[in-house]
Amino acid sequence: MGVIPLPHKKTVALIRVAIQAGGFCSRRGLQELQTPELQQLMTDAPRTGKEQPRSRPVKSGAEQPILPGFYPDPTVCRVGEDFYLANSSFEYFPAVPIWHSKDLLNWSQLGHALTRRTQFRDGFPWPSSGIYAPTLRHHDSRFWLVTTNISDFDSGQILVSTSDPAGPWSDPVFIPAARGIDPDLCWDGDTCFLSWRTLDPGAEHGLLQARLDTATGQLIGSPYPIWQGSGLHGPEGPHLYHIGEYWYLLLAEGGTERGHVVTAARAPHPWGPFEPCPRNPIFTHRSLGLSVQNTGHADLVQTPAGEWAAVYLGTRPRGFTPGFHVLGRETFIAGVTWEDGWPQFDEHRYDVPVPCTDFVDDFTAPELHGRWIAPYAEPETIADHVGTSGLVLPPVREGATGLLCTRVRDHEWTAEAVIEDGGLFSVRLDDRHWYGVHLENGTVRAEAQVGDLHQQLGARLVTQGELVLRIESLPPIPHPNTYGHGGPDDILLSVDDSEGRHDLARIDGRYLSTEVATGFTGRMLAIGSGATSARVRSVSYRAGIG
């Protein structure tokens, strides 16, 4: 969490509430608080041991993601006792978060794989563009990650490597002869095989494979088709594994929506010929009335004890039909057993601790925390540190979003930004779907953008000085109709000034869902400027209702 020497009275009040509610995972990062009031808060707070994290609720892995929020397309590998995981990240930079775990259940972020624009070239600034599904593997004492930048499509796949997954990762090796998405790497001895879903214009779409020179990005020989799936829509996300006497191929099929499934085939060689599993699909939630939907895009890993597990993506839709998922596609875990030589998923094997997602960021650290990313831009070009005074965000230049973003990771939450002079605090799904609280020229406005419609919903004149802009996700207001308005939540926009709290607007949350806005991402909190600069003193987030 970092050191938080904030004397601001509203920040103190926020921390008091969080501590009393058990909202902080540990006291590490609060030990060096400078203000006497905050030191006393820590002294008075109940303790659960010698600086140990507080106990967390545990839920079945069938319902609880190991990485809640917009962390889709998981890929995993193990080195010794350690597990490493990566996710796709689309238009946001830096890209491809990298995670570490000792037990597959508790994960800490090491950094990002793509942190330089030479690795993630600028392209068209469209929502759900950028970096698609990666594959993370360890071979010959190095970590290898291959992925696609859909905004730089003609460069083909991107291959980077490192000896330390925390980075830095190498300069990219481009593979222009393999244009498409969802690349996979595997090795048979010293021979590397690249498999991918081709989207090359003018060519037949499907799953291709070729031998790869990892040093140059050149394909050795012509690409050839491999197993094309069980016949469902959109076979993609291939992953190959040498297990026992067979090479197993896992695919995602049915599209990444409600029909998503995992299918499997096996062969004596990486290139085939492949025999499909007689029980395909081997895992799906399609047509089942479960709280988690869209399950698929799985990757297998073996534990040091010899057991098998799989990470996969899923969504948690809420509200009336068709259901609205707002956090994006999240990362889940399942156990894997083997029957008659085929993998079977056991989604109830693991009890998953609910991660602590709370944070308070006062921006006094020398660098931005890794939670802050930016759409179509580099975070360091959007905000300037000003010592112990937070961030200054210059006026947005033409054609830019000028936003710093961090993932929303819970269904009910409260977030606050302490700002002065001006600025925008918003929750967004993309550029055309967001709600926010905007301070400009002495007026705070609640605004909503839904598609081409931009609406001011409420306003308040305020005096100069620091204000707290607040966004909350709340359960929908009950309605005489059995199903109410049918949305997944309400978003409440408010401001605290010298006269207290003022609610400005309460809005149906369905318009910030994938089912309305489309795309592959999830809700993000965003801070930004506008025609004038913004000064942000702190941003806080906590799970649950304020």
Side-chain angles (χ1 to χ4, degrees), residues 282-335:
I282 61 172
F283 182 58
T284 184
H285 281 186
R286 63 181 183 181
S287 301
L288 299 176
L290 301 175
S291 61
V292 176
Q293 292 291 318
N294 301 40
T295 53
H297 203 106
D299 197 9
L300 299 179
V301 66
Q302 189 177 25
T303 71
E307 296 179 338
W308 285 87
V311 294
Y312 62 95
L313 69 80
T315 67
R316 292 183 286 170
R318 300 186 304 159
F320 191 45
T321 186
F324 303 91
H325 77 275
V326 301
L327 300 180
R329 298 171 300 158
E330 307 174 282
T331 294
F332 292 78
I333 189 167

Side-chain angles (χ1 to χ4, degrees), residues 136 140 156 277 302 436:
L136 177 66
D140 197 20
C277 177
Q302 189 177 25

Side-chain angles (χ1 to χ4, degrees), residues 43-349:
T43 300
D44 295 341
R47 295 178 176 270
T48 58
K50 294 182 178 180
E51 306 301 330
Q52 295 299 312
R54 67 179 175 91
S55 61
R56 292 178 286 159
V58 174
K59 295 183 179 180
S60 168
E63 300 177 350
Q64 174 62 46
I66 54 174
L67 293 178
F70 159 46
Y71 292 110
D73 303 320
T75 175
V76 66
C77 69
R78 178 177 63 87
V79 181
E81 301 289 325
D82 299 277
F83 299 93
Y84 299 92
L85 187 148
N87 302 98
S88 57
S89 48
F90 297 90
E91 68 262 36
Y92 292 95
F93 184 92
V96 188
I98 302 294
W99 303 84
H100 170 258
S101 176
K102 286 286 190 179
D103 60 5
L104 287 171
L105 304 179
N106 297 278
W107 295 87
S108 58
Q109 188 173 349
L110 299 177
H112 292 87
L114 307 184
T115 58
R116 308 186 297 277
R117 273 300 174 193
T118 54
Q119 299 167 311
F120 177 8
R121 292 174 178 171
D122 275 324
F124 41 80
W126 296 347
S128 294
S129 60
I131 302 299
Y132 277 35
T135 292
L136 177 66
R137 294 292 181 258
H138 187 263
H139 174 77
D140 197 20
S141 300
R142 289 189 71 78
F143 291 88
W144 300 83
L145 187 138
V146 64
T147 188
T148 309
N149 179 3
I150 203 73
S151 301
D152 186 31
F153 186 76
D154 288 340
S155 294
Q157 310 305 326
I158 305 167
L159 179 64
V160 293
S161 66
T162 184
S163 59
D164 182 357
W169 290 70
S170 70
D171 287 336
V173 173
F174 293 102
I175 311 171
R179 295 196 297 179
I181 60 171
D182 296 0
D184 175 74
L185 290 177
C186 70
W187 281 263
D188 186 8
D190 293 330
T191 302
C192 181
F193 290 86
L194 176 74
S195 306
W196 72 99
R197 165 70 188 272
T198 179
L199 296 177
D200 198 341
E204 181 180 354
H205 290 188
L207 296 159
L208 296 181
Q209 187 183 88
R211 292 170 174 82
L212 174 68
D213 183 336
T214 58
T216 66
Q218 298 297 310
L219 300 184
I220 302 171
S222 299
Y224 47 84
I226 53 175
W227 187 55
Q228 301 300 305
S230 65
L232 297 178
H233 161 70
E236 58 190 11
H239 287 312
L240 263 168
Y241 319 88
H242 194 191
I243 303 171
E245 61 181 306
Y246 290 109
W247 286 85
Y248 287 86
L249 175 60
L250 251 59
L251 294 184
E253 294 190 60
T256 194
E257 300 81 30
R258 298 295 195 269
H260 212 195
V261 306
V262 180
T263 56
R266 66 187 184 189
H269 310 286
W271 57 87
F274 283 96
E275 167 199 3
C277 177
R279 294 188 298 271
N280 276 328
I282 61 172
F283 182 58
T284 184
H285 281 186
R286 63 181 183 181
S287 301
L288 299 176
L290 301 175
S291 61
V292 176
Q293 292 291 318
N294 301 40
T295 53
H297 203 106
D299 197 9
L300 299 179
V301 66
Q302 189 177 25
T303 71
E307 296 179 338
W308 285 87
V311 294
Y312 62 95
L313 69 80
T315 67
R316 292 183 286 170
R318 300 186 304 159
F320 191 45
T321 186
F324 303 91
H325 77 275
V326 301
L327 300 180
R329 298 171 300 158
E330 307 174 282
T331 294
F332 292 78
I333 189 167
V336 172
T337 58
W338 295 84
E339 183 175 328
D340 299 327
W342 294 102
Q344 287 193 319
F345 280 55
D346 176 10
E347 57 187 312
H348 298 282
R349 174 187 294 176

